Amino acid sequence: MSLTEVRPAPPGEPKHAPPPRGRYWWYRFDTKAVPYLLIAPFFLLFAVFGLFPIIFNAVVSLRTWRIDEPDNRGWAGWENFSRLLTDEDFWNALGNTFGIFVLSTIPQLLIALMVANLLNRKLRATTWWRVGILLPYVTPVAASTLVFAMFFARDYGLANWFLALVGFGEEEPIDWRAAKWSSWIAIATMVNWKWIGYNALLYLSAMQSIPKDVYEAAAVDGAGPWTQLWRITVPMIQPVILFTVVLSTIGGLQLFNEPMLFDQNPASASGGSDGQFQTIAQLIYKVGWKDLNLGYAAAMSWALFLIILIVAGVNALATRRLGGDK
Amino acid sequence: MVNRAPQETRGNWKTYAALAAFMVISAFPVYWMFVIATSTDEKVMGFPPTVIPGDQLLVNLGEVFGMQDVYFTASLINSVIVAGVVTASTLFFCSLAGFAFAKLRFRYRNALMVVVILTLTVPNQLGVVALYILMARLDWNGSLLAVIAPGLVTAFGVFYMRQFIGHAIPDELIEAARIDGALTLRIYWTVVLPAIRPALAVLGLLTFVATWNDFQWPLITLGGTDFPTSMVALSDLASGNYVIYRRVLAGAFVATVPLVILLLIGGRQIVRGIMEGALK
């Protein structure tokens, strides 16, 4: 707080000298209209390509809207939504989405916490480590998923080879795509791989702003590194944890790329021979652009949005509870 | 071990071993992509799986770029165009709006900023069906316009620029330029832009990476066309009854290299951007 700030500006004094008379119109235009011109592109573009589609999506979801029948655009009312209730594909995809979501989010955030805790020490080549853990984040999902598809191949796959080395499934290698549990694990592995480093950096930045004397006080009571992590660090960075929980909920429930490209035949969007790893986002794509039923796809995306809102809300509450907030 | 704050604790060999193990896991899929991209079919289908690069890189690349039904070169050029245009436009429009929100006075400024922040929370995927219908009306589906248009500006970019400009440029500097008679656009050009280069670098890198890697929307709007983006071309490569993995992963490797180079050049900035709370 410097002394100069204390002195208040004399009231009523104009901020700057009036401009020369000839340029007065320009000056008025510049101060009154130009600010709006500067923000206009954002609002215009967002209105057309962001907001309008979302509102229009609601309209489409209440109508019959098939790509192959351009003349058939009647109101369907709640038909598209009521159909969801008895659609086995929808419930199957919902179950898969949640299964993969749980298998990916929990390990992802826990491991990120551990990695951040390691990075939050005095290290040589600090920047090098931080940049290094971002390699998965910049790698295109389309590329890495194809690698993982090979990694989790039944024959000649590295995962099965490794499991055989430690004595599992030597006689009968795991067909990773065939069953729900195995395909979920494979897909969750891809998601975890991609996002751990990113989350670790978010945690690290929060950890570094924790004052050191908080730890010193705890050290007097004999708190070891493990106790420090769970009793001090985690509660202190709780807002960021909450943030990552909500973020990974939104991302996890919209999972699309990994299940698409893990499939033997990506174009089908069927999520395995029997839909064992078909997610909601994938089903929306299939219903809309393979079955050509955009109305129903729109209804499904609204349902997904509501589910995301509910789950993100519940997760946020649960995380607060864990952190010991009121 | 003495109990002190983690920030004060020197990393011991266990710390380095754990971090190194994590690095290996992070890097392995990219490395293995390279291994397959340089191998022969026998090596790829052999047992035990190959983990050492071969010498077939040029052969495999030649196949990817020489294919008749998937135009991989064109798709890479498309990716460069899309990511380049989207990045340039995002930087320009977001810095303009961020400057206005941070430093200019106008009516409803705060209310409009709240609108920007609210739009951050809306998932784009919700509107994907209607966006497709809109693009069909404009007759843009199947062209790069459909991929570029929705990315031209982001709420996150506006928010990020406003925060940075608010902190980085003192009000006095702008007032001084005004007294010298500079109009708003001139202030933007001569005072603001030079001062926000670090923020432009961060937002630019993040936008480029995100746009380059986008798969779902390009698949919807460009799927089935001859000239999609490289991500869609990759999924085309991996479709069909008999997939030649050394070829697919040679393509994947080529599409990954530009981003790894960006990470090597701008890693420090990307890290800083993410640690300062940047998302997506």
Side-chain angles (χ1 to χ4, degrees):
Chain A
M1 252 184 259
S2 66
L3 281 173
T4 46
E5 275 175 37
V6 181
R7 202 182 304 143
E13 190 182 305
K15 277 260 169 186
H16 28 71
R21 257 161 282 147
R23 290 160 96 195
Y24 188 70
W25 187 87
W26 262 116
Y27 175 78
R28 266 191 69 87
F29 177 78
D30 193 56
T31 50
K32 295 289 174 202
V34 166
Y36 294 104
L37 288 181
L38 299 193
I39 61 171
F42 169 78
F43 284 99
L44 281 177
L45 286 165
F46 184 79
V48 177
F49 297 113
L51 197 61
F52 169 74
I54 288 165
I55 296 165
F56 189 47
N57 210 44
V59 177
V60 176
S61 71
L62 295 172
R63 301 183 70 159
T64 321
W65 201 301
R66 294 192 55 93
I67 295 181
D68 51 350
E69 293 170 23
D71 300 325
N72 182 7
R73 293 278 185 273
W75 282 98
W78 297 104
E79 202 179 289
N80 286 325
F81 286 95
S82 58
R83 183 174 158 191
L84 280 176
L85 297 176
T86 53
D87 187 342
E88 274 179 29
D89 286 351
F90 178 73
W91 294 106
N92 172 55
L94 194 61
N96 293 343
T97 308
F98 269 98
I100 298 169
F101 163 68
V102 170
L103 286 176
S104 55
T105 312
I106 296 171
Q108 182 190 130
L109 299 182
L110 281 178
I111 299 172
L113 192 62
M114 301 299 159
V115 172
N117 196 41
L118 290 175
L119 285 173
N120 192 24
R121 297 184 182 168
K122 275 192 178 161
L123 296 173
R124 284 165 203 279
T126 322
T127 314
W128 194 87
W129 294 110
R130 292 180 188 173
V131 173
I133 63 171
L134 275 186
L135 184 60
Y137 170 74
V138 302
T139 306
V141 196
S144 61
T145 305
L146 293 171
V147 177
F148 276 108
M150 281 192 77
F151 185 82
F152 287 109
R154 192 192 60 183
D155 309 313
Y156 321 116
L158 264 181
N160 278 344
W161 177 72
F162 185 75
L163 283 179
L165 275 189
V166 291
F168 284 105
E170 253 169 306
E171 294 81 34
E172 209 180 318
I174 299 171
D175 189 351
W176 290 92
R177 290 182 179 88
K180 274 192 189 275
W181 70 271
S182 54
S183 60
W184 290 5
I185 288 177
I187 291 171
T189 306
M190 304 174 202
V191 179
N192 287 328
W193 176 79
K194 186 162 179 67
W195 292 107
I196 287 172
Y198 179 86
N199 285 307
L201 282 185
L202 291 182
Y203 291 159
L204 178 62
S205 72
M207 284 177 181
Q208 298 203 321
S209 60
I210 302 175
K212 291 177 183 115
D213 43 348
V214 178
Y215 291 104
E216 274 149 26
V220 175
D221 298 339
W226 198 246
T227 322
Q228 280 185 352
L229 173 65
W230 289 109
R231 292 291 169 80
I232 304 173
T233 310
V234 170
M236 295 284 284
I237 65 167
Q238 197 218 344
V240 181
I241 293 182
L242 185 68
F243 175 73
T244 57
V245 166
V246 172
L247 210 68
S248 50
T249 306
I250 295 171
L253 295 182
Q254 297 189 47
L255 194 67
F256 178 79
N257 302 344
E258 284 90 347
M260 276 298 277
L261 292 163
F262 186 51
D263 210 323
Q264 303 254 256
N265 183 12
S268 70
S270 57
S273 51
D274 205 17
Q276 56 270 39
F277 54 89
Q278 186 180 51
T279 60
I280 296 275
Q282 215 182 348
L283 182 61
I284 291 173
Y285 174 75
K286 181 177 174 288
V287 167
W289 286 276
K290 299 287 153 192
D291 306 344
L292 308 177
N293 192 346
L294 288 182
Y296 191 37
M300 230 176 236
S301 66
W302 268 102
L304 175 62
F305 179 56
L306 292 181
I307 294 166
I308 289 175
L309 279 187
I310 294 166
V311 177
V314 169
N315 278 348
L317 281 179
T319 313
R320 284 211 173 156
R321 266 273 161 84
L322 283 179
D325 262 26
K326 323 130 217 171
Chain B
M1 198 158 101
V2 192
N3 290 323
R4 356 168 148 193
Q7 303 98 302
E8 303 271 89
T9 314
R10 208 170 279 284
N12 55 15
W13 69 269
K14 283 184 206 157
T15 314
Y16 285 104
L19 280 176
F22 185 74
M23 284 294 177
V24 169
I25 294 170
S26 290
F28 183 74
V30 179
Y31 168 74
W32 204 41
M33 209 187 293
F34 179 69
V35 170
I36 305 292
T38 55
S39 298
T40 57
D41 276 331
E42 293 81 67
K43 275 277 177 64
V44 175
M45 296 297 176
F47 215 78
T50 177
V51 286
I52 297 158
D55 53 3
Q56 299 295 303
L57 183 63
L58 292 180
V59 176
N60 294 336
L61 286 182
E63 283 189 26
V64 176
F65 285 105
M67 269 182 316
Q68 297 300 312
D69 44 350
V70 179
Y71 303 95
F72 201 68
T73 319
S75 74
L76 275 176
I77 295 172
N78 282 346
S79 282
V80 171
I81 294 172
V82 169
V85 172
V86 164
T87 303
S89 145
T90 302
L91 291 183
F92 180 61
F93 289 132
C94 292
S95 61
L96 274 183
F99 166 50
F101 279 121
K103 294 295 174 191
L104 303 181
R105 289 177 193 84
F106 51 95
R107 281 189 80 179
Y108 308 119
R109 179 174 79 163
N110 292 335
L112 289 169
M113 193 59 217
V114 170
V115 174
V116 174
I117 291 171
L118 281 181
T119 63
L120 264 175
T121 61
V122 182
N124 285 329
Q125 205 179 12
L126 179 59
V128 105
V129 169
L131 191 61
Y132 177 82
I133 295 175
L134 173 70
M135 293 301 178
R137 286 280 156 85
L138 295 169
D139 210 14
W140 285 3
N141 276 324
S143 86
L144 292 188
L145 276 175
V147 189
I148 292 172
L152 286 174
V153 66
T154 59
F156 169 71
V158 175
F159 177 74
Y160 185 76
M161 282 297 166
R162 172 193 171 245
Q163 296 299 97
F164 192 91
I165 293 171
H167 289 301
I169 303 174
D171 289 342
E172 291 77 19
L173 202 60
I174 295 190
E175 291 299 325
R178 274 209 198 287
I179 290 167
D180 289 346
L183 292 175
T184 306
L185 275 178
R186 194 175 171 77
I187 296 176
Y188 167 76
W189 193 253
T190 56
V191 178
V192 176
L193 271 190
I196 60 169
R197 278 206 200 120
L200 291 174
V202 172
L203 185 61
L205 287 165
L206 292 175
T207 310
F208 193 91
V209 169
T211 315
W212 184 277
N213 291 346
D214 194 14
F215 174 63
Q216 188 178 11
W217 174 241
L219 176 70
I220 288 173
T221 182
L222 296 182
T225 63
D226 278 346
F227 302 107
T229 59
S230 57
M231 296 302 124
V232 181
L234 278 181
S235 78
D236 288 345
L237 276 177
S239 293
N241 289 328
Y242 183 64
V243 178
I244 304 167
Y245 273 106
R246 58 187 173 77
R247 189 193 272 176
V248 177
L249 292 199
F253 186 71
V254 172
T256 305
V257 164
L259 303 185
V260 174
I261 293 173
L262 271 188
L263 181 67
L264 291 177
I265 298 171
R268 204 180 272 266
Q269 273 91 343
I270 298 186
V271 166
R272 200 183 301 148
I274 290 176
M275 286 185 56
E276 279 165 10
L279 3 145
K280 292 230 277 201

